[in-house]
Amino acid sequence: GERAGQRPDSFDATGFKTMAKYFGDIGKAVKDVLTGGLSYDHKFSVSGKPKDELTVKAEAVSKGTDVTGDGTATYVVDKDLTAELKVTDKGVAKVSVTKSGVVDGLKTVASANLSDVAKSLKFANTLLSGDVGVKADVSNCLGGNPKVEASACLNLGDAQVGAEAAVDAAKGVVSYAVAAQVAADDLVLSAVVADELSTIKAGAALKVDKDTTAVAEIVYKLKGGDLKLAGGLATKLESGQSVRAVVCSAGHISASLKTSVADGSDLTACLQVHKDMKYKYGLQFAMKT
């Protein structure tokens, strides 16, 4: 069951989100279609659960001629405590521990690279209490110049408003943004004013039917007057594949196709073509054993 003080996710069967719990969720229905999951790298991953409490994953990524890989093991100690070890092909080991339940609705993730704990130690906190969702990340904790990124989101029913800011101990406030969204039936309208209030993003997401979402976004930069428009459509076919097409006024179109190739195995293909006919593509294969 749900914990007291936590709101249920407002997702329907196809992942259309109508309510923001945290600042980053505002406008997420638009972002998910326009850019979510679009990758032009080649990626292969395999994951499995040798035990109920243990999950292991190996991943290889090809970016041009550069190939990298890593392995991750996640161990669930109990419902409030999880430990994870990630080792890259360069030998960098990162440990993270997730703890919840200390305060109702609070989750804290502590992480660090074992080779440089002082500089890499980071605490990421999320708190969901009633109609307020807060995130606060503290990095470079022991490096002499801590940085804090914090955000808050207030749920007003059919509307949510939020703000975020990043503070550097040496430089003071280095970035800030405000955002709001409102949902009416199958339509979500959102606005984000980012980059120290110099960039305005206005978006709309429309649930066309149970399997189809259409979105549009306008991005305007107050400095220089740069204006970009984008529109996208995502749908799930009767055959089970998820397809998406995105058009951007910057001069490119993007498309993706996700299909199940076997039980527990998915293949995603992404393609972007520019107006000068230059293109890039990526294939991602994920297998669960």
Side-chain angles (χ1 to χ4, degrees):
E2 286 172 24
R3 289 208 178 146
Q6 290 192 334
R7 309 194 302 276
D9 279 318
S10 291
F11 277 103
D12 63 18
T14 56
F16 185 74
K17 192 163 193 176
T18 59
M19 189 184 76
K21 293 197 293 183
Y22 300 104
F23 178 86
D25 297 334
I26 295 177
K28 191 173 186 302
V30 175
K31 287 183 285 190
D32 282 350
V33 174
L34 294 183
T35 58
L38 279 176
S39 172
Y40 305 105
D41 301 327
H42 301 309
K43 185 184 296 183
F44 176 84
S45 67
V46 58
S47 61
K49 290 174 79 76
K51 296 181 179 180
D52 285 345
E53 64 272 20
L54 178 65
T55 303
V56 293
K57 180 180 179 182
E59 185 172 271
V61 180
S62 170
K63 297 183 180 184
T65 57
D66 186 32
V67 179
T68 59
D70 59 62
T72 306
T74 307
Y75 187 79
V76 179
V77 181
D78 59 43
K79 67 182 179 65
D80 292 326
L81 183 62
T82 302
E84 184 175 281
L85 172 65
K86 182 176 183 178
V87 181
T88 72
D89 60 335
K90 304 285 194 299
V92 177
K94 180 180 180 179
V95 172
S96 60
V97 176
T98 303
K99 176 65 178 171
S100 56
V102 176
V103 176
D104 195 31
L106 174 68
K107 182 171 79 171
T108 299
V109 181
S111 61
N113 293 337
L114 295 181
S115 58
D116 191 0
V117 174
K119 280 190 177 179
S120 63
L121 181 62
K122 178 179 179 180
F123 293 95
N125 302 282
T126 56
L127 175 65
L128 197 59
S129 179
D131 288 321
V132 178
V134 176
K135 289 192 176 187
D137 296 354
V138 184
S139 58
N140 203 23
C141 304
L142 304 176
N145 183 31
K147 296 178 177 64
V148 179
E149 296 178 10
S151 67
C153 179
L154 174 63
N155 177 39
L156 303 170
D158 289 331
Q160 291 85 43
V161 294
E164 72 169 358
V167 180
D168 184 297
K171 300 175 184 174
V173 178
V174 290
S175 67
Y176 49 91
V178 294
Q181 76 171 25
V182 61
D185 295 326
D186 295 324
L187 179 67
V188 179
L189 301 175
S190 59
V192 181
V193 188
D195 302 329
E196 295 75 71
L197 310 186
S198 67
T199 301
I200 300 171
K201 292 183 182 179
L206 176 67
K207 191 76 184 163
V208 179
D209 58 40
K210 69 181 180 67
D211 294 322
T212 308
T213 302
V215 306
E217 183 180 64
I218 300 171
V219 180
Y220 181 68
K221 292 189 180 293
L222 298 176
K223 297 174 184 174
D226 183 45
L227 179 69
K228 285 190 180 128
L229 309 173
L233 188 71
T235 190
K236 190 169 186 178
L237 306 177
E238 287 185 12
S239 52
Q241 290 99 343
S242 296
V243 295
R244 166 198 7 201
V246 176
V247 180
C248 181
S249 67
H252 60 258
I253 57 173
S254 307
S256 69
L257 167 69
K258 181 178 181 180
T259 184
S260 176
V261 290
D263 189 31
S265 299
D266 291 326
L267 177 66
T268 302
C270 303
L271 172 69
Q272 186 176 90
V273 181
H274 288 258
K275 57 187 177 184
D276 60 4
M277 297 312 291
K278 289 182 180 176
Y279 66 91
K280 55 185 178 180
Y281 67 95
L283 299 173
Q284 295 90 43
F285 181 76
M287 181 170 66
K288 291 182 179 178
T289 60

